[in-house]
């Protein structure tokens, strides 16, 4: 989609021009496809700002390889007032950049284990996560199982660091509700999905211990997810996923939808679909919420613009953007109605959200 439609200047990150807001996107790899969704969501917020009578801040889009250090391309360029970091950004590098340049950085799609250590990083007081962390999915799954009166589960995970962190979070949440992990070692089991012997052992363990539920913590589409769906399980078993239920199986399933809902979701989703012709998801809502913060930060109040986000208050009543812009211009503390979370933001700490369950 052309940048002109989004009202931005689009240049390579190595040759940036001066702009109020700089949006960085991955230039290659699996994350590269997220750029259009982020920009489209951002554009909906800019259009809304114009309808409210406020001219949006100037925007420039740049690209960096996934995981790249932004110091050279961003640090040596004309300074923007607000930086929107790419998905899965290397947080120590962005914290250092924010600290050196006294720059506020929005993190629209930062959801993984890197958030756990964010408060301890240099510059974390200038890094603002906008999306709920994935740890909330583990908490929601534990809550759902306990709500269904299931107190004993077996847990299986893949061997990634992300899966281990989510598993540890699930076990802690489940234990807080007096839940118990059972199995050969009374602990989560690490399995590679493409190991037939390990999967056969898992099936045998489930058949022996007969847990009411098998909790599967892995990425959708992973080898483990495919192997679990292809396996033979007792009819009484509940498969519990940290992701949405993907397809019907002979056994009952429960999963967690990672798309958090905030008070502004319904109105945003309607406007987005009217403009772009499809229903938005996690990526598009992250772009929209980034746009809300950018629009409000650009409004002058008491002779100064609010690029440091000191005008934001997590305790304020969430307001539609037009109302929030008016209050902001009057110098009031504000919180907009976000699409993807409750927007109870603070530097270094992700917001909370209501996560829906899926069953099958």
């Amino acid at each position: 989609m052309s940048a002109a439609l989004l009202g931005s200047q689009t240049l390579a990150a190595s040759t940036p021009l001066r702009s109020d807001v700089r949006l960085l996107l991955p230039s290659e790899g699996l994350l590269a496809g997220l750029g259009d969704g982020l920009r489209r969501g951002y554009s909906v917020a800019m259009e809304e700002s114009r309808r409210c009578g406020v001219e949006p801040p100037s925007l420039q889009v740049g690209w960096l390889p996934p995981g790249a250090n932004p110091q050279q391309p961003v640090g040596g360029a004309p300074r923007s007032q607000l930086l929107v970091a790419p998905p899965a950004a290397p947080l120590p590098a962005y914290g250092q950049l924010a600290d050196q340049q006294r720059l506020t950085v929005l993190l629209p799609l930062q959801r993984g284990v890197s958030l756990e250590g964010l408060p301890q990083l240099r510059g974390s007081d200038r890094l603002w996560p906008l999306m709920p962390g994935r740890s909330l999915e583990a908490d929601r799954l534990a809550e759902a199982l306990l709500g269904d009166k299931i107190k004993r589960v077996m847990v299986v995970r893949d061997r990634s660091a992300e899966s281990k962190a989510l598993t540890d979070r699930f076990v802690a949440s489940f234990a807080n509700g007096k839940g118990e992990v059972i199995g050969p070692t009374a602990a989560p089991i690490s399995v590679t999905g493409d190991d037939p012997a390990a999967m056969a052992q898992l099936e045998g363990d489930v058949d022996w211990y007969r847990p009411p539920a098998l909790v599967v913590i892995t990425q959708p589409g992973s080898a483990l997810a495919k192997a679990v769906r292809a396996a033979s399980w007792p009819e009484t078993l509940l498969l519990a996923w940290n992701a949405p239920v993907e397809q019907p199986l002979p056994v009952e399933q429960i999963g967690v939808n990672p798309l958090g809902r905030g008070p502004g979701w319904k109105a945003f989703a309607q406007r987005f679909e009217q403009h772009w012709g499809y229903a938005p998801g996690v990526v598009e809502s992250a772009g929209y919420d980034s746009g809300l913060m950018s629009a409000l930060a650009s409004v002058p109040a008491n002779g100064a613009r609010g690029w440091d986000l000191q005008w934001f208050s997590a305790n304020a009543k969430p307001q539609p953007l037009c109302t929030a812009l008016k209050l902001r211009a009057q110098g009031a503390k504000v919180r907009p109605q976000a699409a993807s979370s409750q927007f109870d933001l603070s530097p270094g700490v992700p917001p909370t959200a209501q996560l829906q369950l899926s069953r099958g």
Side-chain angles (χ1 to χ4, degrees), residues 108-350:
L109 280 174
Q110 198 82 24
R111 308 192 63 214
V113 295
S114 62
L115 289 174
E116 299 296 324
L118 180 54
Q120 288 75 46
L121 292 182
R122 175 185 174 187
S124 63
D125 58 331
R126 294 178 174 271
L127 301 181
W128 290 70
L130 301 187
M131 291 288 287
R134 291 192 64 212
S135 59
L136 289 184
E137 296 164 22
D139 294 342
R140 184 69 181 94
L141 185 57
E143 176 190 353
L145 291 168
L146 293 167
D148 286 349
K149 309 301 182 185
I150 294 176
K151 295 281 190 173
R152 298 166 69 250
V153 301
M154 284 182 63
V155 181
V156 62
R157 66 169 179 87
D158 62 42
R159 294 182 176 175
S160 68
E162 182 83 3
S163 181
K164 183 182 185 306
L166 288 174
T167 300
D168 292 344
R169 179 67 175 248
F170 169 82
V171 171
S173 295
F174 197 57
N176 284 340
K178 309 302 181 184
E180 178 187 6
V181 175
I182 63 174
T185 61
I189 302 168
S190 175
V191 173
T192 300
D194 55 5
D195 184 343
M199 284 304 302
Q201 181 65 51
L202 177 64
E203 289 184 53
D205 289 340
V206 169
D207 191 56
W208 176 262
Y209 288 95
R210 290 285 167 162
L214 175 65
V215 176
V216 186
I217 299 186
T218 188
Q219 291 286 342
S222 71
L224 178 59
K226 294 175 182 176
V228 168
R229 284 196 294 270
S232 177
W233 304 112
E235 293 181 358
T236 57
L237 183 72
L238 170 70
L239 283 178
W241 306 87
N242 66 301
V245 173
E246 292 189 349
Q247 63 189 53
L249 291 176
V251 296
E252 187 180 354
Q253 299 178 86
I254 187 173
V256 181
N257 190 333
L259 178 56
R261 299 295 176 90
W265 170 263
K266 184 176 180 180
F268 157 69
Q270 290 175 343
R271 288 193 297 271
F272 186 94
E273 190 159 7
Q274 288 173 356
H275 186 99
W276 295 106
Y278 69 95
V282 173
V283 175
E284 290 81 4
S285 65
Y288 175 75
D289 289 350
S290 299
L292 294 181
M293 295 294 277
S294 300
L296 286 162
S298 70
V299 174
N302 301 320
R305 299 181 189 272
W307 301 115
D308 57 6
L309 308 191
Q310 293 301 308
W311 48 266
F312 180 87
S313 172
N315 297 319
K317 178 183 177 181
Q319 301 285 357
L321 183 57
C322 288
T323 303
L325 288 167
K326 291 178 182 178
L327 291 172
R328 165 84 187 96
Q330 296 167 9
K333 296 276 189 177
V334 299
R335 173 166 59 141
Q337 289 183 346
S340 56
S341 77
Q342 299 303 314
F343 235 42
D344 43 353
L345 305 179
S346 62
V349 180

Side-chain angles (χ1 to χ4, degrees), residues 8-25:
S8 65
Q9 299 170 315
T10 305
L11 297 172
S14 59
T15 57
L17 301 177
R18 186 178 301 278
S19 63
D20 293 326
V21 181
R22 182 165 296 139
L23 170 63
L24 297 181
L25 300 173

